[in-house]
Every structure is written in structure tokens, then in C-alpha cells.
Amino acid sequence: MKKTISSKIGMVLFLLPAGLFFISFFVYPLVFIIITSFTSWDGLSQPVFNSWNNYRFVLSDPTFKLSIQNNIGWILAGGFLQVPLAVLVAILLARKPKGWKFLRTVYYFPNVISIVAMSMLWMAVFNSEYGILNGLLKAVGLEGLQQNWLGNYFTAYPAVVLFGVFYIGYFMIIILAEISSIPETYYEAASIDGASRLQQELHITLPLIRGSTLTCMTIAMVYGLRQFEQTYVMTNGGPANRTMVLVLYLFKKINDFQYGVANTSAVFLLMIGVIIIVGLRRLFRAKD
Amino acid sequence: MPKLLFEKRFSNSLEPGRSKFFGSIIMWVVLAFFLFYTVAPMVWLLISSLKTNAELIASPFSLPEKMQFTNYTNAFQVSGLNRLFLNSMVVSLSATILNVLIAAMAAYVIARFNFKFKEVIFTIIIAGIMVPISSLMVPIFTLIKTLGVYNTRLALILTYTGVSLPLSLFIIRGFINNIPVELEEAAIIDGCGFYSRFFKIIFPLAKPGLITAATFQFLYSWNEFVYAMLLTSSNSVRTMQVGIRFFSNQFTTDYTSMYAAIVISIIPSIIGYILFQEQIISGLTSGAIKG
């Protein structure tokens, strides 16, 4: 479109607010984090340069290592459990069984509810006195398995990680849309050639939904990396740091007025994010 | 149909009817599992919020003897829920309007005009969608303190507007791209300037995109927790999500009132979802969220 003088002024005025917000909430924070990750800083006095000390500190801190380990568990659960389940349900709904639109609506529903409310709901599920899970175990005569699920060192982490894995609505909708765009003739041709339904899904559907699967795995894994609310609300990192994750580690360092160390852990968070995004893209391209 | 083809078609399964039958049973078992998993805990929460505490502990799965609506009035009285609710509304609505307006303005320029480094700038902004926002806690905290708005609702409005700008910009630009340029060219001939083209042509025509972006932004702002906790310290400005987190301290023994409070906090999301379901699903399926 042609640019007159008045439209040039308009362009600048229209870009300015977005530019200011983007610089304030993305550019400045990222630069700031990298610089202050090399300082010792309590948030009150001036930051003091301390070279790689923060990095040495976090890498020798067992809690930090455990956080990274736990985050890797979250990332794998999101990418390799939640997304494949979403693919499965999307393939089933793509056959348009009775009520598929209703199911699509209901499956997405948990995504509009806050994670805090969801976590509190699941705290009630896992509660040792009156929780649903223990109640169900009692009802089927397995009282021996009753637990204080979130207080037990061995069950707390799986409990916190796994309850969200079965909420597949968000990814399912994205994948379902891509399946619906596959021309029906592909399947007709395949079935004339004698391919069973299962073979058709494996050899036609799966290769053709690579794009949305990549998107979903990226989102799920980045989500596993930055997850915070479940852990904070349900266990606050306990018992004995067993459920600690990176963002909670960062948050606790802020509360301890160790802003430099907090930002060092933020640098690790961002780097792992880049590794996930680049790595997944490589992985999916290598299959071509 | 040639004989060869016909035979080949059925050679894979000896009893096609039966395997189809089992296939559909497996399908319904899977679909029913996910339905139950999604719905059952929430129904349980709703029922429990209408019971007495004694009933809940004695039999977690029974229906209430008598509906205890007092749990709901308790929830409002004990926790100052109306204040939290009001704060959440003010913050979410303001952040949504501000975010969508700013994103639409920028999206218009990016979609319609060419300037130096446009694609590079746009790509960098869009990359912001993938940044784990919670890693930016310290700098955003510092920024909010420097601006002198710590512990105000404005702090949350500005933060929510800023951090989800990339996503809104991406969604809205997609919709503006689909509006024919000819409409505007005709308007230019009619003497329509830059601003009136934006407000009179683009704004009404990009409405579905604006609503989609606004729906996502509202839900994000309503449900956001990390920054709501980090950037506020007093109950007079805190939002619903931070409030219900601390309910567990206030309602140490009164579980059923706490459940009532959680139900109340979910209601706006449910209403938003029912009203804007189409926009949410079309937003996801049009590739709007695809990184």
C-alpha cells in the first residue's frame, strides 16, 4: 500500500505502543537476565560482577540438579505421553463418531480453568483423609494401597506430573484440524488397495500430521519446562525437594534475595527452551 | 470391480465385520475414559461444595443430604471473595482491551505496509510466543518497581498486556491478511485517510480475529498466577487465583467452603468458554497457535 506523509506518521504511532511493550517485557528482560546472571545481587544494593560464580554454584547445588531432572521428566511426559495420547484421541474423533463435537468441547474444557484451581481440585483427589483416590481404592477393597499421595516421597512426583497428562484437549483440537484437512481420496485409494483401517492411520494419517504434531510437542515440552503452579500449590517442591522444578527454584531464590542466582537459573531455563525447539525441529526434519 | 482387487481387499482380515466391531468397542472405551477423567473430578467438586464437612469425611462419594448453600456465603464472607473477584475482572478486562487494541494497531501496519527489516522484526516478535515467561520474573519485578506501580492492579494490566502481545499480534495479523486490499484502495480513492481506514474498514472486518485474540487474552489474564503473586502484596489488589491459593490456609478445616470458593473462581471461565467456544476452537484450528 502507498505511503503518504500522514500514513507514515500513522505507521509510527501505531507501531510505537507495541514496540514499547515488546522492548519492556522481552528485549530488556532477556538482556538484563544474561548480564545479571554474572553478578552477586540481593535486589537492594548494586549488583557486583562475580564472573562464573553463580554458574558454579547452581551446578554444584543438588537441589538445582534435582530440579533439572524433574523438569526433564515433565518435558518427556508432555512430549511423549500427552501428545501421543492427543494424537490417538484425534484419530478416533476424526472418524466422526456420534457426539464427536460434544466430546471435543468437553475434552478442551479443562484448558479454560486456571491451573491453580485444577491443582487444588487434584489435591482433593490425592488427599489422604477424604480424597477420591483413596476412596476409590477402599471401594474396590485395595485399602492396603491407600497413601498420603502428595506427602509420600515416592508417590508425590508421579502424582504431580501425571494428573495433567490426560488432559489432551488442547493438542487434540490442533491435530484433529490437520487430520480433517487430509483429502478423503487418500483413504479411499488405500482401502481399495486393501489397507486396513489401522494401516491407513499408520501410513497415511501419521506422516501427514507431522506439522501439527511438531507444534504440539514443542508447546507441550516448553510447557513442561516452565511449569510452576502445580508444584507450588500441591507440594511446594516437597517432600524433601523431591518435586522441585526450575521455575520454583528461581522463585525461591528471589524470596531469598539471591537475584543473581535466580537469573542464572533463568538462563538455564531459556537455554533448555532453545534446545527443545531446535532439537525437535531437527528431529522432525531428519525424518524427511 | 475386478476380481483381483476384490479379493485383495478382504485378504487382510478374515472376518472384517468382527474386527470392526471390536475396533469400535476399543474406540468407545478410550473416548469414555477421557470423558470420565475430564468430567468426574469436577462433578465431584461441585457436589462436595454443597455438602457439610462431616458428610464429606464420612462418605466422600455420597450426595448431600441437604444442599448447603451456606458454603457459598461462607466463601464470600471469610475470604473477601467479592474483592478478589472484582480485582480479577478489572485486571482481565483492562488487559484484554489494551492488549488487543495495541496488537491490532501494530498488526495493521505489519500486514499492510512495507518497511525496512519488517520480516526480521516480525519474526523476532513472534519468537516471543515461545519464551518461557516465568523465567523473566526478576527483570519484570524490577521493571514494575521502577515504574512505581508495584502492588497495584495496573502492574498486572501492563504485564499481561506485554507478555501476550506476540500471540495476539500473530492471531490478528492472520485475520487482517485475509481482508482484501482492494477494499482499502477503494476507500483511499474516496479520500479515506490512514486512521479512518483502520477504524472503519479493518476493525469491523477483522472482528472475528479480534474476538479470538481477546478470548485467549481474557482467559490468560483471568487464570494467570505467577505474576499475580509476584507483583502484588496486599489483599486489596490481589486477584482470584492468588486468593484461592491462600484459601487452604484460611479454611483449615472448612473444606467444603473452600470447594465452593474454587467453584466460584471457575464460573467466569466456564461462561467465557460457553459464549466463545467457536472462537476458541477456530483460533486453535486456523493455525493461529502454531509456532
Side-chain angles (χ1 to χ4, degrees), chain B residues 203-238:
Chain B
F203 227 78
L205 287 175
K207 218 173 172 183
L210 302 179
I211 294 175
T212 301
T215 308
F216 280 106
Q217 173 67 5
F218 182 85
L219 286 172
Y220 166 74
S221 311
W222 183 270
N223 291 334
E224 206 282 337
F225 176 69
V226 180
Y227 285 100
M229 184 171 61
L230 187 72
L231 302 178
T232 61
S233 59
S234 64
N235 274 333
S236 59
V237 298
R238 281 202 148 152

Side-chain angles (χ1 to χ4, degrees), chain B residues 162-184:
Chain B
V163 295
S164 42
L165 209 53
L167 182 61
S168 302
L169 189 66
F170 184 64
I171 295 175
I172 298 169
R173 189 191 81 138
F175 278 86
I176 295 180
N177 274 342
N178 288 334
I179 301 171
V181 188
E182 290 76 22
L183 285 174
E184 279 178 81

Side-chain angles (χ1 to χ4, degrees), chain A residues 41-86:
Chain A
W41 182 31
D42 59 7
L44 305 165
S45 46
Q46 286 296 313
V48 181
F49 178 73
N50 70 358
S51 180
W52 293 94
N53 278 359
N54 294 341
Y55 287 82
R56 268 184 228 118
F57 171 79
V58 295
L59 287 175
S60 62
D61 181 356
T63 312
F64 182 78
K65 281 188 241 173
L66 192 55
S67 306
I68 291 209
Q69 249 177 48
N70 285 341
N71 267 115
I72 291 174
W74 274 97
I75 291 166
L76 296 178
F80 297 102
L81 217 56
Q82 193 180 19
V83 173
L85 285 173

Side-chain angles (χ1 to χ4, degrees), chain A residues 1-3 6-7 9-11 13-15 17-19 21-22 24-26 28-30 32-33 41 85 88-89 92-93 95 97-99 102-118 120-125 127 129-133 135-136 139 162-168 170 173-174 177-178 191-196 199 212 215 218-219 222 225-226 228-229 232-233 247 250-251 254 259 262-263 266 269-270 273 277 281, chain B residues 5 8-9 12 23 26-28 30-35 37-42 44-45 56-57 60-61 98 102-106 108-110 112-115 124-125 128-144 157-159 161-166 181 184-185 188 194-195 197-199 216 219 222-226 229-230 241 244-248 255 258-259 262 265-266 269-270 273 277-278 280-281 284-285 289-291:
Chain A
M1 196 161 289
K2 273 188 201 146
K3 288 184 266 186
S6 88
S7 74
I9 298 172
M11 279 169 65
L13 284 178
F14 270 36
L15 285 173
F21 270 98
F22 188 75
S24 312
F25 286 95
F26 287 93
Y28 155 77
L30 288 172
F32 181 97
I33 280 176
W41 182 31
L85 285 173
L88 171 70
V89 175
L92 295 179
L93 285 191
R95 300 176 182 192
K98 241 184 209 150
F102 168 76
L103 289 173
R104 186 179 68 170
T105 305
V106 175
Y107 292 157
Y108 185 76
F109 180 57
N111 291 286
V112 303
I113 295 173
S114 77
I115 306 171
V116 175
M118 270 303 184
M120 296 188 68
L121 169 56
W122 280 86
M123 274 170 86
V125 173
N127 189 291
E129 299 163 54
Y130 58 88
I132 304 180
L133 192 53
L136 281 177
L162 290 179
F163 84 84
V165 163
F166 298 97
Y167 290 130
I168 40 83
Y170 182 84
I173 286 182
I174 297 176
E178 191 160 27
S191 88
I192 287 171
D193 287 346
S196 69
Q199 287 173 319
S212 58
T215 306
T218 312
I219 297 172
V222 170
L225 172 67
R226 66 145 198 244
F228 170 78
E229 286 98 326
Y232 178 72
V233 171
V247 179
L250 192 161
F251 183 74
I254 295 178
Y259 285 28
N263 283 341
L269 239 156
L270 293 165
I277 294 168
R281 275 180 195 272
Chain B
L5 264 182
K8 209 174 162 194
R9 183 170 188 183
N12 277 332
I26 293 170
M27 176 181 87
W28 283 110
V30 172
L31 294 180
F33 165 77
F34 282 98
L35 183 67
Y37 191 89
T38 307
V39 174
M42 288 190 226
W44 180 85
L45 182 77
L56 178 71
I57 306 234
F61 297 117
L98 194 61
I102 290 175
M105 284 161 43
Y108 173 58
V109 178
I110 289 171
R112 283 296 192 253
F113 297 92
N114 278 317
F115 49 90
I124 290 173
I125 294 180
I129 296 175
M130 280 298 164
V131 173
I133 297 298
S134 26
S135 63
L136 309 179
M137 270 192 259
V138 175
I140 290 182
F141 181 71
T142 321
L143 175 75
I144 292 296
I157 295 169
L158 293 176
T159 305
T161 301
V163 295
S164 42
L165 209 53
V181 188
E184 279 178 81
E185 284 167 350
I188 293 175
F194 178 87
Y195 305 100
R197 289 205 302 275
F198 176 71
F199 287 107
F216 280 106
L219 286 172
W222 183 270
N223 291 334
E224 206 282 337
F225 176 69
V226 180
M229 184 171 61
L230 187 72
Q241 304 307 328
I244 59 170
R245 159 70 185 85
F246 292 107
F247 286 167
S248 39
Y255 291 115
M258 182 170 90
Y259 294 163
I262 297 173
S265 82
I266 295 175
S269 305
I270 298 178
Y273 186 46
Q277 206 198 100
E278 290 298 317
I280 292 176
I281 290 177
L284 290 170
T285 54
I289 309 298
K290 291 183 189 175

